[in-house]
Amino acid sequence: MEECKLTKRPCRAAIKESVDKCKNPIVLRNMYQVVELLRKMVDDVEYEELSEADYRRGIIIRDVLYLEDREVKGVQYWIDGVQEAKRKRKGKK
């Protein structure tokens, strides 16, 4: 992804290119949800309107982006365990 020479962050054109290349509607919806949540976290007005759960989701998403590869694997094992427990609970109802 191309970086802006001034800010050293991905430029808008590179972000748009990534979105344009994505053909999966579910992934596009998820991308939009993540971007909207992160955008709201830096907006003074909308930040105040975030629910506790949305605020926590945003913090988790931000923190995940800073994880090392080995840490990502540990988080994935934990998520797999949570999802498995959720599937078992749904099956018992």
Side-chain angles (χ1 to χ4, degrees):
M1 184 175 286
E2 184 182 339
E3 285 188 346
C4 174
K5 291 178 177 77
L6 180 63
T7 64
K8 300 298 181 198
R9 296 182 182 146
C11 68
R12 290 177 187 261
I15 294 167
K16 182 181 181 322
E17 180 183 339
S18 290
V19 170
D20 289 344
K21 285 183 177 180
C22 183
K23 303 299 180 202
N24 185 316
I26 295 170
V27 171
L28 282 170
R29 184 187 69 223
N30 292 342
M31 287 170 51
Y32 175 76
Q33 290 171 332
V34 168
V35 169
E36 273 298 288
L37 180 57
L38 295 175
R39 184 193 60 74
K40 288 177 181 179
M41 288 185 69
V42 297
D43 182 276
D44 292 338
V45 174
E46 290 183 297
Y47 171 82
E48 295 291 327
E49 297 170 359
L50 284 176
S51 69
E52 174 80 16
D54 279 345
Y55 175 77
R56 288 180 185 266
R57 281 185 191 93
I59 295 297
I60 290 168
I61 291 167
R62 186 201 64 197
D63 290 349
V64 164
L65 296 174
Y66 292 115
L67 293 176
E68 300 291 328
D69 289 347
R70 61 180 170 69
E71 296 167 327
V72 170
K73 287 180 183 178
V75 171
Q76 184 61 56
Y77 291 135
W78 179 80
I79 289 171
D80 289 345
V82 169
Q83 293 296 340
E84 182 64 26
K86 188 187 285 187
R87 281 190 289 273
K88 286 180 182 179
R89 281 194 311 269
K90 283 186 176 183
K92 290 182 178 180
K93 289 184 178 181

